[in-house]
């Protein structure tokens, strides 16, 4: 692979990896739920931070999906898809939007990890207190503790996948800046 194509091809591969990780994180989070024997249901959307995390993954995935055609075209032709006098304005807006999305994803990661680890730690403390003499039956608490732990484990894994996507998006941002400053830039 010639060096002139290395950066555009790397950006394209990283965009695809970013898209896959953001979609994967969202799917894993949406599928994260459980039902106790008494019929009590818990879903990811019951926790506001997990909804925020899903929103950041969806916004990042939509943005990445929008950018893919531009990246594919540039990787294949080494020319911009849009070539006219409005390009400098579009490039400036692209830089701002890219920075916004690159900062939004880590905020979703922070929300997901913060709630996931804190709630899991809190539940490890609270379940023994609830099982104290005169409290809830131990069999019900064991089931609830096990399912809650699994619920937060899946959410933490989804957050880790989102973190990977955020890192890939940041690397794309740096590589895109390199292509723009070297006068080989493209919209995407």
């Amino acid at each position: 692979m010639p060096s002139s194509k290395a950066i555009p091809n790397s950006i394209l591969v990283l965009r695809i990896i970013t898209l896959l990780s953001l979609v994967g994180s969202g799917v894993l989070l949406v599928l994260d739920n459980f039902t106790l024997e008494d019929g009590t249901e818990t879903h990811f959307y019951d926790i506001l931070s997990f909804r925020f995390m899903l929103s950041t993954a969806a916004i990042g995935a939509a943005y990445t999906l929008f950018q893919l055609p531009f990246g594919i075209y540039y990787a294949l032709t080494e020319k911009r898809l849009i070539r006219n006098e409005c390009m400098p304005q579009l490039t400036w807006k692209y830089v701002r939007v890219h920075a916004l999305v690159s900062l939004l994803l880590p905020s979703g990661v922070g929300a997901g990890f913060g709630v996931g680890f804190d709630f899991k730690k809190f539940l490890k403390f609270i379940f023994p207190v609830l099982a104290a003499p005169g409290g809830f039956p131990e069999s019900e608490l064991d089931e609830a503790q096990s399912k809650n732990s699994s619920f937060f484990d899946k959410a933490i894994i989804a957050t880790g996948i989102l973190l990977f996507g955020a890192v890939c998006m940041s690397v794309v941002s740096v590589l895109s800046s390199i292509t723009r400053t070297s006068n080989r830039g493209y919209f995407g």
Side-chain angles (χ1 to χ4, degrees):
M1 175 173 9
S3 63
S4 65
K5 286 194 151 236
I7 291 178
N9 289 338
S10 298
I11 290 172
L12 180 60
V13 168
L14 284 169
R15 282 198 193 284
I16 293 169
I17 292 170
T18 299
L19 180 63
L20 292 175
S21 64
L22 297 179
V23 169
S25 172
V27 167
L28 184 59
L29 193 60
V30 167
L31 295 176
D32 193 11
N33 59 63
F34 67 90
T35 304
L36 296 175
E37 283 182 20
D38 67 359
T40 305
E41 294 182 350
T42 301
H43 301 274
F44 83 95
Y45 54 77
D46 294 331
I47 299 172
L48 187 61
S49 292
F50 290 157
R51 284 190 276 172
F52 175 74
M53 186 179 126
L54 179 64
S55 298
T56 61
I59 291 168
Y63 175 74
T64 304
L65 191 60
F66 172 76
Q67 290 297 318
L68 271 178
F70 296 103
I72 291 169
Y73 184 83
Y74 189 76
L76 293 175
T77 66
E78 293 187 48
K79 295 178 184 174
R80 294 179 180 185
L81 186 59
I82 300 173
R83 289 175 253 152
N84 60 25
E85 62 278 350
C86 73
M87 194 57 205
Q89 293 172 338
L90 287 176
T91 300
W92 178 242
K93 289 178 182 176
Y94 162 76
V95 169
R96 286 191 255 167
V97 171
H98 198 80
L100 179 68
V101 173
S102 293
L103 292 172
L104 185 65
L105 292 176
S107 68
V109 170
F113 277 144
V115 166
F117 286 120
D118 281 350
F119 273 26
K120 193 168 178 181
K121 186 177 179 181
F122 173 73
L123 291 174
K124 280 183 183 179
F125 167 76
I126 199 69
F127 278 113
V129 171
L130 294 173
F136 291 94
E138 194 170 322
S139 64
E140 289 180 20
L141 289 178
D142 287 344
E143 176 198 17
Q145 185 173 13
S146 171
K147 288 188 175 182
N148 271 292
S149 181
S150 176
F151 174 78
F152 286 109
D153 285 342
K154 289 176 190 170
I156 290 168
I157 291 168
T159 306
I161 296 169
L162 181 62
L163 174 62
F164 181 70
V167 169
C168 288
M169 178 70 81
S170 296
V171 173
V172 166
S173 183
V174 170
L175 292 176
S176 293
S177 296
I178 290 170
T179 61
R180 263 191 271 315
T181 58
S182 66
N183 239 355
R184 294 188 325 248
Y186 69 98
F187 179 67

